[in-house]
Amino acid sequence: MMKNCCLLFSYLLLFIIGQTTAYAGSVVKNTVVANYKRHVTYVDSFPTPKDIDHLLFYIQRDPNTNTICYTLNIDKDGKLDLSNPIHAFWIRYPEGGVKKDLNFIQRKFAYGINTKKLSDGSYDVRSVAYNKLPMRLKKDVKGVFRIYATINNKEAILERIFIRIGDGGTFWNPDVKYIELKGVEVDSGKKTLMRFKP
């Protein structure tokens, strides 16, 4: 079931973006990028979302620069929507950076987020399509909500997920080369990056 879901997730990433994108260390074999500055150039050439209020993290992937942003879901009174704390939407850079909400299929099968409030006030956060990567929405030491994940076996504030799709594969089994997590280590403040194959 999960394998089929992961394959569907990968295909939807390839198709939908083309049309209009226990912890990781314990469930997959990780490839650590030891030198952050040697990160693949074309990935870092993607645009970085700017001036996005309450941005938590974002997802990018080839073959284009369309980006899915995940922000705090703040209501009209400036308060966090406790029942639905994360809002996801597109930035369509090839169309001049226009912002668009996800459609039903994208929310339910590809880019949507499931959240579960925990007793300490934080949230367990999972992708609707790939729930093997636990994330946590919680406040940092300054009282600001962040998304946390384990990167290279250390707690980190997650900044970006990048999904590399190869040229091979089939309709139901696309060639997902790797998923890349990029963030900042909580303890050291250093940039950190990890790749794994789902």
Side-chain angles (χ1 to χ4, degrees):
M1 177 68 178
M2 280 304 306
K3 182 178 181 180
N4 290 337
C5 190
C6 183
L7 294 178
L8 176 60
F9 171 56
S10 301
Y11 175 72
L12 285 171
L13 288 173
L14 181 63
F15 177 76
I16 299 173
I17 293 185
Q19 299 300 310
T20 24
T21 142
Y23 282 82
S26 66
V27 297
V28 294
K29 182 178 180 181
N30 298 324
T31 300
V32 177
V33 180
N35 188 337
Y36 183 81
K37 293 182 179 179
R38 295 178 61 188
H39 182 37
V40 181
T41 302
Y42 80 85
V43 177
D44 279 344
S45 68
F46 275 50
T48 300
K50 301 291 186 182
D51 301 321
I52 305 297
D53 291 338
H54 310 294
L55 179 65
L56 295 169
F57 72 102
Y58 57 98
I59 292 178
Q60 294 177 319
R61 46 134 295 155
D62 42 21
N64 60 50
T65 58
N66 285 331
T67 298
I68 307 99
C69 292
Y70 297 84
T71 66
L72 288 177
N73 191 16
I74 303 298
D75 64 23
K76 61 182 180 180
D77 296 322
K79 297 181 180 179
L80 181 67
D81 185 339
L82 300 180
S83 64
N84 183 30
I86 298 177
H87 174 63
F89 62 91
W90 292 101
I91 297 181
R92 305 285 291 279
Y93 287 108
E95 300 174 25
V98 63
K99 298 176 184 178
K100 292 185 178 181
D101 284 334
L102 304 183
N103 63 34
F104 177 82
I105 293 177
Q106 292 162 354
R107 289 196 313 273
K108 295 299 182 181
F109 298 103
Y111 312 116
I113 290 290
N114 287 327
T115 60
K116 179 181 179 181
K117 191 171 184 179
L118 305 178
S119 59
D120 62 359
S122 67
Y123 291 82
D124 179 75
V125 178
R126 311 280 177 135
S127 163
V128 297
Y130 186 71
N131 68 0
K132 291 183 179 181
L133 175 65
M135 297 174 283
R136 184 67 61 87
L137 175 65
K138 64 180 182 178
K139 292 181 178 180
D140 64 13
V141 295
K142 296 180 179 179
V144 178
F145 274 105
R146 309 282 189 186
I147 286 284
Y148 293 82
T150 295
I151 303 178
N152 298 326
N153 298 315
K154 295 182 179 180
E155 184 181 38
I157 297 172
L158 182 65
E159 295 180 335
R160 182 185 68 191
I161 297 175
F162 181 82
I163 302 170
R164 176 72 168 104
I165 304 288
D167 296 329
T170 65
F171 182 91
W172 291 109
N173 188 21
D175 184 20
V176 180
K177 296 295 187 182
Y178 58 80
I179 296 175
E180 178 181 281
L181 307 180
K182 175 182 174 182
V184 178
E185 290 183 2
V186 172
D187 289 339
S188 69
K190 295 179 179 179
K191 293 285 188 178
T192 183
L193 185 146
M194 180 184 77
R195 293 177 184 172
F196 66 91
K197 187 172 178 64

